[in-house]
Amino acid sequence: MTMSYNVLIVEDQPLIALGLEDAIEALGHKAVGIARNTNEARALASAADMAFVDVNLEDGPTGPVIGRELAAADIAVLFMTSDPQALGDGVPGTLGIIEKPVFDRELTEAIQFVADRRAGMDGAVPPGCLVQFSS
């Protein structure tokens, strides 16, 4: 049996957040909450093993700061954004980025990749839609 993880969704667009929540739960993981800004993300962080983080949120382009904080708390972080250039060469400690819009299959593969990495499978192969950071 595969591991089940608690996943934090940091996304301020409700339709995207709910679609991500459905995909996470379809793979047997638990969405611990949807954060629309920095304060909500910090409030939910302690319950999370993994996080999917957008760059631009309700309180501005705060995703990179949130991602850095979550990664420092030993949470596996993957960015999902329509503005990948905003992350430059990446955020230390985070896994990488997938560019929105994301197809359902790509999203499923990305969630599985993050879960595999969280499980300690460092050799897990990222899906084609995912750009890994060289941290």
Side-chain angles (χ1 to χ4, degrees):
M1 177 163 171
T2 57
M3 293 282 297
S4 175
Y5 292 105
N6 292 326
V7 184
L8 172 59
I9 300 165
V10 184
E11 170 64 66
D12 64 338
Q13 295 180 35
L15 289 177
I16 293 173
L18 293 172
L20 181 53
E21 183 177 48
D22 288 346
I24 287 164
E25 292 178 350
L27 287 172
H29 304 294
K30 180 180 187 294
V32 295
I34 297 171
R36 297 166 300 179
N37 55 52
T38 305
N39 289 337
E40 291 177 5
R42 286 176 177 152
L44 293 165
S46 64
D49 301 305
M50 299 172 16
F52 290 83
V53 180
D54 190 8
V55 169
N56 296 300
L57 300 165
E58 270 185 354
D59 53 355
T62 55
V65 171
I66 294 167
R68 188 176 298 111
E69 288 179 11
L70 295 173
D74 195 33
I75 297 168
V77 175
L78 182 67
F79 289 99
M80 289 180 56
T81 183
S82 55
D83 185 18
Q85 293 76 23
L87 292 167
D89 292 331
V91 175
T94 64
L95 296 174
I97 184 171
I98 53 176
E99 188 170 354
K100 294 190 293 191
V102 180
F103 295 107
D104 290 346
R105 181 168 168 248
E106 293 174 336
L107 184 56
T108 299
E109 291 172 352
I111 294 166
Q112 188 59 53
F113 171 74
V114 177
D116 289 347
R117 288 296 301 269
R118 179 68 195 183
M121 299 169 56
D122 292 337
V125 178
C129 64
L130 191 150
V131 176
Q132 278 187 288
F133 294 145
S134 56
S135 50

